[in-house]
């Protein structure tokens, strides 16, 4: 997928973010800092990580600036609602900045925190992959907590199998 128009990309990315947000409604407020084991991201860490890397790594790099990402712990947002608010507020800020990109900007090269030069549209594509990866981790965490989650595209695997029978 090549990104040549920032507005069509942002429309697509908004739908990606909405699918992640649907999971937030499944998280019991008292489980926001639950983790699989000591030293691993908590549910809240994952949500804050998505918000903070989007705004302070990806969006900074796209502006040809170095990453400002410094972590994702509770010091950035404590508690369920504050964590969700951080995710939403930083995404709005990111969208506002990204919407200013011109088609020619998308074909410039920027530098990642690892020192790699990458075309801006490719870094935006990586930002989407990053969101989807961590959404998958949220699904796994919620499954480990035995919390029912919504099917991502309307049907569960079992429902697809049932409807596929001839």
């Amino acid at each position: 997928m090549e990104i040549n128009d920032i507005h069509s990309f942002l429309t697509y990315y908004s739908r990606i973010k909405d699918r992640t947000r649907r999971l937030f409604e499944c998280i019991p407020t008292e489980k926001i800092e639950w983790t699989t084991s000591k030293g691993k991201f908590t549910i809240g860490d994952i949500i804050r990580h998505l918000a903070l890397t989007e705004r302070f790594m990806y969006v900074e790099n796209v502006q040809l600036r170095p990453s400002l990402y410094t972590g994702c712990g509770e010091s950035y947002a404590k508690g369920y609602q504050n964590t969700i608010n951080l995710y939403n507020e930083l995404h709005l800020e990111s969208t506002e900045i990204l919407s200013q990109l011109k088609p020619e900007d998308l074909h410039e090269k920027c530098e990642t925190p690892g020192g790699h030069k990458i075309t801006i549209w490719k870094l935006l594509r990586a930002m989407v992959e990053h969101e989807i990866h961590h959404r998958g981790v949220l699904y796994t965490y919620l499954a480990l907590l035995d919390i029912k989650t919504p099917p991502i595209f309307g049907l569960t695997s079992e429902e697809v199998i049932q409807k596929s029978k001839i």
Side-chain angles (χ1 to χ4, degrees):
M1 168 182 161
E2 187 172 340
I3 302 164
N4 291 306
D5 174 67
I6 194 62
H7 299 291
S8 61
F9 167 75
L10 289 173
T11 298
Y12 165 74
Y13 189 47
S14 173
R15 290 191 302 267
I16 297 292
K17 300 290 279 187
D18 287 345
R19 285 193 280 277
T20 302
R21 277 189 199 92
R22 276 199 294 271
L23 279 182
F24 299 168
E25 297 168 10
C26 301
I27 301 167
T29 57
E30 71 277 5
K31 296 292 186 184
I32 193 71
E33 296 307 328
W34 181 87
T35 185
T36 58
S37 58
K38 186 177 178 175
K40 299 294 181 188
F41 274 1
T42 67
I43 291 172
D45 288 337
I46 293 168
I47 296 168
R48 289 185 294 266
H49 175 72
L50 285 169
L52 292 159
T53 55
E54 175 186 275
R55 174 58 193 88
F56 295 113
M57 188 191 82
Y58 290 104
V59 173
E60 288 301 309
N61 290 165
V62 161
Q63 295 178 89
L64 309 179
R65 299 179 188 162
S67 172
L68 299 175
Y69 177 75
T70 58
C72 59
E74 285 184 85
S75 62
Y76 295 95
K78 189 172 178 70
Y80 176 87
Q81 197 57 58
N82 290 332
T83 299
I84 302 308
N85 290 347
L86 178 75
Y87 180 91
N88 290 327
E89 290 164 10
L90 289 182
H91 178 62
L92 285 174
E93 193 175 311
S94 295
T95 299
E96 189 174 305
I97 293 165
L98 292 173
S99 70
Q100 302 305 309
L101 292 174
K102 296 173 182 41
E104 59 270 18
D105 297 334
L106 296 170
H107 296 280
E108 284 190 47
K109 293 229 183 229
C110 63
E111 189 171 327
T112 68
H116 302 287
K117 299 282 187 188
I118 185 170
T119 307
I120 287 173
W121 72 262
K122 290 180 181 177
L123 187 64
L124 292 173
R125 184 178 61 189
M127 181 175 71
V128 173
E129 292 176 13
H130 182 253
E131 177 86 15
I132 294 166
H133 160 75
H134 284 293
R135 183 194 315 139
V137 175
L138 287 174
Y139 268 104
T140 302
Y141 274 30
L142 293 171
L144 290 170
L145 289 168
D146 202 28
I147 295 170
K148 186 171 173 46
T149 56
I152 194 163
F153 295 117
L155 296 174
T156 65
S157 175
E158 296 78 13
E159 290 167 334
V160 171
I161 292 167
Q162 184 62 37
K163 291 182 181 293
S164 298
K165 291 185 177 177
I166 297 176

